[in-house]
Amino acid sequence: MAKAIGRAGPQGPLQAGPGADGGGQNARAALLMTLGMAGFAFEDTLLKLLSRAMPTGQVLMIVGLAGMVVFGSWVALRGGGLRPRDLLHRGVLARNLCEAICAICFVTALATGDLSIASAILQALPLLMTLGAALFLSEPVGWRRWLSILAGFAGVLLIVRPGTDAYQPASLLALIAVLALAARDLITRRLPPGIGSGMLTASAFGAMAFAGAVLALLGGQRMMMPDARQAAMLLACVGFGLGGYLAMVIATRIGEIGAIAPFRYSRLIFAILLAMAVFGERPDGWTLAGAGIIAAAGGYAMWREARLRGRPRTASPGGPIPPG
């Protein structure tokens, strides 16, 4: 789902540089990134199908608990320990609040609106990250990336089209979800390096489960026993989500960010194809144009940032990246 774009970053100990064979490693990383994005698109499709048959809060609770158990076990088996005290760090608490808001808004947007529109709006995340880093983290952003941000927001307006017959209220929920994701990732940049990505991911799934419980309680949703088909879909949903996350992490570790960044937008292609095949959606020309603008602008922003981070600096190590 939405938070699967970067559940833990990947940051901290999960991140590493590209391998020694350069192009070969980047090709494998691009393939893994594409497979990861396909996994996320299938996960979103299953979430939409499940939300039609089961209470949304229950779906969030089950998927969140399953992810928390899997990643919590992984962290424990790595030998680093779960360190529950890390969960009380105010940054982690704020991050998990963003996760909870994102989970409720995005899954509700999937349940009540078009998969293709929600997925397209989600692709604005890198642009919001660049904007947030400039406004709140004092990172320099040059005119090229400012133009990409403006272009991306124009693409969002082409998709949402407020005040027209094409407007879907679910689009507003998708926008809130992506804002919550951007806030989550900005908070993650400020967390102490000792708080590992595995722990953050496990706690994020826990926040998702908590959000589901709150949604079910406030909405008066009654829990139901999943039948065999629904249980299989829930299992597949968790599998696609975790598999997509693992592929994304490996891709980020072995490939250069600038080389694999454009392949993040393959998720949008898979989502549109699945929306058409499974739900009979037919995105109009404005929606497709807006999605294309967002993908191009976001891909450029990520490529530009990766290029600037790799540029030799005359300042001291650890100084700010040059604007661009």
Side-chain angles (χ1 to χ4, degrees), residues 202-249:
S203 66
F205 274 108
M208 178 179 175
F210 178 77
V214 171
L215 182 61
L217 180 63
L218 296 180
Q221 301 176 0
R222 298 184 62 181
M223 301 296 101
M224 58 174 286
M225 180 64 69
D227 58 26
R229 178 174 176 272
Q230 292 163 351
M233 290 171 64
L234 284 166
L235 182 62
C237 183
V238 174
F240 277 121
L242 297 180
Y245 176 80
L246 180 62
M248 182 184 68
V249 168

Side-chain angles (χ1 to χ4, degrees), residues 156-167:
V156 171
L157 288 176
L158 284 178
I159 295 171
V160 177
R161 279 169 281 170
T164 69
D165 293 338
Y167 172 72

Side-chain angles (χ1 to χ4, degrees), residues 1 4 14-15 20 28 35 43 65 71 88 95 134 156 164 172 178 198 208 227 241 251 255 257 304 308:
M1 57 175 297
L14 287 180
Q15 189 171 4
R28 286 189 286 273
L35 291 174
E43 180 192 24
L65 287 172
F71 270 95
L88 300 178
R95 186 184 191 278
V156 171
T164 69
L172 179 59
V178 78
M208 178 179 175
D227 58 26
I257 298 299
R304 182 68 180 169
L308 291 172

Side-chain angles (χ1 to χ4, degrees), residues 35-120:
L35 291 174
M37 296 303 106
F40 293 151
F42 275 100
E43 180 192 24
D44 290 344
T45 302
L46 288 168
L47 284 171
K48 183 173 177 65
L49 287 170
L50 285 165
S51 65
R52 288 180 166 184
M54 299 175 61
T56 305
Q58 183 178 0
V59 173
L60 287 172
M61 287 174 61
I62 294 174
V63 175
L65 287 172
M68 182 178 66
V69 169
V70 170
F71 270 95
S73 301
W74 173 65
V75 173
L77 291 174
R78 289 181 67 203
L82 292 176
R83 297 199 302 179
R85 66 181 182 277
D86 287 345
L87 298 178
L88 300 178
H89 188 280
R90 63 181 181 180
V92 175
L93 292 174
R95 186 184 191 278
N96 286 341
L97 176 61
C98 293
E99 290 278 6
I101 294 172
C102 171
I104 291 175
C105 291
F106 189 73
V107 175
T108 304
L110 289 177
T112 58
D114 288 353
L115 170 63
S116 55
I117 289 179
S119 298

